[in-house]
């Protein structure tokens, strides 16, 4: 990560391009950009190992545009980018258009399955950059509608994919048609032998850059449960909402790539009823301090941040780190998730990955030496079941709290008309309706297939196998039995409340009602003196008012839970 703190301006980019990326909300170069841009600006050939999602498009597009800006006008293309698929051709052309708008660079995507004549006419009118799939590019070249004589910058993107798809001869023919005086850069997620042979034939002393070196030691991982959900971009917000409602995090840090994305997501989550705060490099120190205070005081559940902004903050209580956008390198992944699971407590790292980022996932697995489990986004049925769990916990707690006499009389009255089970079920339904957030689970979140042939070992993974039972057992939080709406709950703890660690959890069969009952019975404190209860597999955390904390600890040490004496102390982070 040596380069990770370089700014765009340090890389040698022009003022115009630097301003362009700042305006897009990019706060700093990604690792592949920090390494590749200075080398490309210096002029030599390059082999860059990077997958989609690492920011590789800007890594080659920005230097290419800068080179073109210094050249005299010509109708013939100066930049030539070859990509494996029509979809990628459109994406890369769109990126070039966005990055090159200020300098008025024109770009054309040329791919099979679209009108040849239309493309030929556009080429004839003149463009600065052509982004093409190999087969169609070769057709145009042979018919004279694509002229490569003036090309100075050549990029092969996803070069390994192109060879896998059988385009080697086409690529060699295209590379043979560009002038001698040009620069060629290959970008690829892997460099298999046949690709190296093509590189050896066409590239001159290429420099090599990579963000996932083979010989690195695996990164050190904290004790963190890691979950990946594969979702398309358009469904990410809805997926995040469902995941949050399932997990009910105590305090979550959500990472986005750009400032603009941070602002958009925090608005979107706020309008869905979450207490979300935005944190990015565009805020003043005072504004940042205010966000952090709100998180510490538990007046916010989510902080949505860029990496740059998150780097400058120190939050202790993170139960969850959520990669709304995947990090741009395996190292950054390790860095981000290291913010949870501290001080021996289990944390949760959740990533929402897009299908096209599967190879970045593979390189994260490779770097961390772990297999990342793909899970299906919680279904509406999962969320309903979760809500029922919460209703049951709530009822348990109230039953243990006593003071039921007036209600028992009401039940007797109702029993004149209804069966007892009907009364109980109706009361639960009323409670569930009341606890239900103003959610919108109606949006369909379609399944996306698993990681396909580049799976990095093991089966596909993404397919649903019937909801909750496939979820891992360990789930942090979610057992707050105090709020009226456990999902997107109002959190009143904070100032004046202290967390007590109790060394027994779900694996010993501990439920919130057990802890609540034990504390109230053993201390004689009022029920209101027990705050949020969180239960994980191996331990539980209970919030109590600071003035009662010693009494609670003494009483709980003297008592047995499920027949055992357990460790009870102030939570280190409380
Ligand atoms: P790519 O790997 O080129 O497909 O890029 C993945 C995504 O990252 C694209 O949506 C880019 O807009 C975005 N991106 C590229 N560079 C940066 C950066 N330096 N900071 C934030 N986002 C970036």
């Amino acid at each position: 990560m040596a380069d990770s703190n370089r700014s765009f301006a340090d890389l040698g980019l022009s003022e115009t391009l630097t301003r362009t990326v700042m305006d897009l909300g990019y706060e700093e170069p990604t690792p592949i950009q920090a390494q590749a841009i200075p080398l490309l600006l210096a002029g030599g050939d390059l082999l860059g190992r990077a997958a989609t999602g690492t920011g590789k498009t800007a890594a080659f597009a920005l230097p290419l545009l800068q080179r073109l800006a210094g050249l005299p006008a010509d109708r013939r293309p100066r930049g030539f980018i070859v990509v494996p698929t029509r979809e990628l051709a459109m994406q890369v052309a769109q990126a070039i258009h966005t990055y090159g708008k200020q300098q008025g660079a024109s770009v054309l995507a040329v791919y099979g399955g679209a009108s040849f004549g239309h493309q030929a006419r556009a080429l004839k009118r003149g463009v600065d950059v052509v982004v093409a799939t190999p087969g169609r590019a070769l057709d145009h070249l042979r018919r004279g509608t694509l002229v490569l004589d003036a090309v100075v910058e050549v990029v092969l993107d996803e070069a390994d994919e192109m060879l896998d798809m059988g385009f080697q001869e086409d690529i060699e023919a295209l590379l043979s048609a560009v002038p001698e005086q040009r620069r060629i850069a290959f970008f690829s997620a892997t460099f298999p032998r046949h690709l190296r042979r093509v590189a050896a034939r066409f590239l001159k002393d290429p420099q090599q850059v990579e963000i996932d070196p083979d010989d690195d030691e695996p990164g050190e991982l904290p004790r963190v449960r890691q979950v990946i959900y594969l979702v398309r971009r358009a469904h990410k917000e809805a997926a995040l909402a469902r995941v949050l409602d399932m997990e009910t995090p105590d305090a979550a840090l959500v990472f986005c790539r750009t400032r603009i994305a941070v602002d958009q997501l925090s608005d979107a989550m706020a309008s869905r009823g979450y207490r979300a705060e935005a944190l990015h490099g565009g805020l003043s120190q005072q504004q940042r301090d205010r966000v952090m205070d709100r998180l510490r005081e538990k007046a916010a559940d989510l902080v949505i941040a860029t990496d740059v902004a998150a780097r400058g903050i120190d939050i202790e209580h993170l139960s969850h780190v959520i990669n709304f956008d995947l990090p741009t390198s395996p190292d950054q992944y390790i860095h981000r998730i290291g913010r949870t699971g501290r001080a021996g407590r289990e944390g949760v790292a959740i990533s929402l990955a897009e299908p096209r980022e599967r190879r970045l996932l593979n390189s994260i697995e490779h770097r961390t030496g772990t297999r990342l489990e793909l899970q299906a986004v919680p279904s509406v049925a999962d969320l309903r079941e979760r809500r029922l769990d919460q209703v049951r916990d709530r009822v348990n707690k109230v039953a243990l709290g006593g003071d039921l006499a007036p209600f028992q009389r009401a039940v007797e009255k109702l029993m004149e008309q209804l069966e007892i089970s009907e009364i109980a079920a109706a009361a639960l339904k009323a409670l569930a309706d009341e606890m239900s957030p103003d959610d919108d689970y109606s949006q369909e979140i379609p399944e996306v297939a698993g990681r396909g042939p580049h799976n990095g070992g093991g089966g596909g993974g993404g397919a649903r196998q019937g909801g909750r039972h496939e979820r891992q057992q360990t789930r942090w939080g979610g057992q707050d039995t105090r709020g009226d709406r456990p999902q997107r709950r109002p959190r009143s703890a904070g100032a004046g409340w202290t967390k007590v660690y109790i060394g027994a959890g779900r694996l010993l069969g501990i439920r919130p009602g057990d802890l609540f009952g034990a504390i109230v019975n053993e201390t004689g404190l009022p029920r209101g003196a027990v705050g949020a209860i969180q239960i994980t597999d191996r331990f539980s955390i209970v919030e109590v008012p600071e003035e009662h904390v010693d009494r609670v600890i003494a009483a709980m040490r003297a008592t047995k839970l499920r027949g055992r004496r357990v460790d009870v102390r102030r939570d280190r982070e409380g």
Side-chain angles (χ1 to χ4, degrees):
M1 299 274 287
D3 289 315
S4 68
N5 290 328
R6 290 176 84 165
S7 75
F8 275 105
D10 298 336
L11 303 182
L13 286 172
S14 68
E15 237 184 274
T16 313
L17 288 172
T18 307
R19 201 166 351 100
T20 299
V21 291
M22 295 295 170
D23 290 348
L24 289 169
Y26 298 4
E27 294 197 327
E28 64 176 358
T30 68
I32 194 71
Q33 290 163 4
Q35 292 181 58
I37 290 175
L39 292 174
L40 288 170
L41 289 173
D45 286 352
L46 186 102
L47 288 173
R49 180 178 353 216
T52 292
T54 56
K56 69 180 160 65
T57 313
F60 62 71
L62 296 170
L64 181 149
L65 285 162
Q66 185 149 324
R67 176 87 191 279
L68 265 51
L71 295 177
D74 197 309
R75 285 242 290 266
R76 296 167 300 173
R78 302 299 211 147
F80 181 46
I81 301 171
V82 192
V83 302
T85 63
R86 163 199 174 114
E87 195 192 24
L88 191 60
M90 291 193 286
Q91 267 172 32
V92 170
Q94 180 58 48
I96 303 262
H97 173 75
T98 307
Y99 299 138
K101 209 188 282 178
Q102 282 295 322
Q103 69 188 60
S106 58
V107 56
L108 181 70
V110 168
Y111 43 78
S115 155
F116 189 93
H118 199 267
Q119 291 170 357
R121 281 190 295 280
L123 287 167
K124 196 162 178 209
R125 277 196 300 275
V127 288
D128 297 317
V129 183
V130 169
V131 185
T133 53
R136 182 56 71 96
L138 203 56
D139 284 352
H140 279 289
L141 185 71
R142 290 191 171 138
R143 297 215 221 158
T145 43
L146 173 66
V147 178
L148 296 177
D149 302 349
V151 165
V152 292
E153 290 278 336
V154 183
V155 178
L156 255 61
D157 192 12
E158 301 201 350
D160 54 351
E161 294 264 340
M162 290 197 277
L163 294 201
D164 287 350
M165 290 162 79
F167 283 130
Q168 181 163 346
E169 277 179 23
D170 292 7
I171 284 168
E172 290 181 337
L174 291 167
L175 291 177
S176 305
V178 293
E180 267 296 301
Q181 289 307 310
R182 45 44 182 163
R183 176 253 297 294
I184 304 182
F186 281 15
F187 279 82
S188 194
T190 60
F191 278 96
R193 203 173 319 133
H194 55 313
L195 179 55
R196 291 196 178 274
R197 273 203 299 271
V198 179
R201 182 171 160 206
F202 291 97
L203 273 60
K204 294 169 206 136
D205 300 328
Q207 300 260 20
Q208 301 198 20
V209 294
E210 51 189 297
I211 56 165
D212 179 26
D214 265 339
D215 49 2
D216 252 27
E217 290 291 305
E220 195 165 318
L221 279 183
R223 210 162 61 103
V224 171
R225 170 162 70 89
Q226 299 173 69
V227 184
I228 311 287
Y229 295 105
L230 213 53
V231 265
R232 293 193 194 287
R233 175 102 231 152
H235 301 115
K236 271 192 170 182
E237 278 171 18
L240 177 62
R242 287 192 186 184
V243 168
L244 288 171
D245 289 349
M246 240 8 230
E247 298 267 345
T248 52
D250 214 22
L253 182 57
V254 182
F255 283 99
C256 290
R257 249 182 219 178
T258 66
R259 263 175 216 194
I260 294 169
V262 164
D263 282 335
Q264 278 171 351
L265 185 63
S266 45
D267 286 351
M269 296 318 284
S271 69
R272 284 171 181 265
Y274 300 87
R275 299 179 309 170
E277 298 280 336
L279 196 68
H280 56 57
L283 302 179
S284 69
Q285 189 57 43
Q286 206 183 4
Q287 285 170 311
R288 288 191 215 188
D289 291 345
R290 204 157 42 230
V291 171
M292 295 318 302
D293 287 345
R294 290 178 64 73
L295 191 70
R296 263 183 231 113
E297 289 159 13
K298 304 200 171 167
D301 304 314
L302 304 176
V303 169
I304 302 178
T306 56
D307 291 282
V308 172
R311 212 171 283 145
I313 61 174
D314 185 28
I315 324 177
E316 290 277 295
H317 302 277
L318 285 178
S319 58
H320 289 65
V321 164
I322 300 178
N323 296 313
F324 185 79
D325 291 326
L326 275 194
T328 54
S329 70
D331 281 336
Q332 193 179 42
Y333 178 83
I334 293 169
H335 202 73
R336 283 184 181 182
I337 74 169
R339 291 182 159 276
T340 183
R342 286 186 178 168
R345 292 171 54 169
E346 196 203 37
V348 183
I350 290 170
S351 303
L352 303 183
E354 294 172 48
R356 66 195 185 95
E357 292 170 323
R358 62 191 157 76
R359 301 180 91 185
L360 179 56
L361 284 181
N362 291 346
S363 66
I364 291 172
E365 281 186 329
H366 176 238
R367 176 86 176 88
T368 57
T370 47
R371 169 106 182 100
L372 299 173
E373 288 301 322
L374 289 183
Q375 285 196 7
V377 174
S379 67
V380 175
D382 293 337
L383 289 158
R384 293 212 173 109
E385 199 179 322
R386 175 96 179 99
R387 196 174 65 172
L388 274 182
D389 272 355
Q390 290 168 323
V391 171
R392 275 194 293 267
D393 284 345
R394 181 94 183 274
V395 168
N396 235 329
K397 179 178 170 180
V398 172
L400 281 165
D403 272 351
L404 296 174
F407 300 94
Q408 276 162 339
R409 282 196 291 280
V411 171
E412 276 156 24
K413 195 127 189 84
L414 282 167
M415 279 170 69
E416 290 164 14
Q417 295 155 22
L418 297 167
E419 295 289 326
I420 185 103
S421 65
E422 285 175 318
I423 300 170
L428 288 192
K429 181 170 186 305
L431 184 61
D433 287 348
E434 184 213 312
M435 285 166 72
S436 162
D438 318 310
D439 57 28
D440 176 17
Y441 296 141
S442 54
Q443 185 185 351
E444 276 288 311
I445 302 183
E447 297 260 329
V448 281
R451 273 184 275 170
H454 296 278
N455 207 357
R464 173 175 301 282
Q465 291 155 8
R468 254 164 89 86
H469 66 268
E470 73 187 282
R471 298 177 61 82
Q472 294 173 21
Q473 281 301 306
T474 336
R475 194 184 311 128
W476 174 268
Q479 307 287 349
D480 182 344
T481 49
R482 192 167 34 125
D484 284 334
R485 294 183 0 173
Q487 302 174 347
R488 301 172 209 181
R489 62 199 187 271
R491 292 292 317 251
S492 58
W497 290 79
T498 300
K499 290 186 175 177
V500 174
Y501 170 97
I502 296 174
R506 214 174 282 130
L507 293 178
L508 278 183
I510 300 293
R511 288 175 309 167
D514 301 326
L515 296 178
F516 182 83
I519 293 172
V520 170
N521 292 336
E522 298 301 323
T523 59
L525 286 168
R527 292 191 310 281
V530 184
I533 299 177
Q534 292 157 340
I535 299 198
T536 73
D537 274 1
R538 290 192 169 72
F539 63 87
S540 307
I541 304 288
V542 182
E543 288 181 4
V544 296
E546 175 58 37
E547 72 257 33
H548 299 314
V549 72
D550 292 334
R551 189 161 156 192
V552 169
I553 289 174
M556 294 302 285
R557 280 182 181 161
T559 190
K560 287 183 177 175
L561 285 172
R562 301 263 170 225
R564 295 189 193 201
R565 289 211 190 280
V566 299
D567 184 19
V568 182
R569 52 181 156 79
R570 277 173 191 266
D571 184 45
R572 269 190 292 273
E573 297 186 17

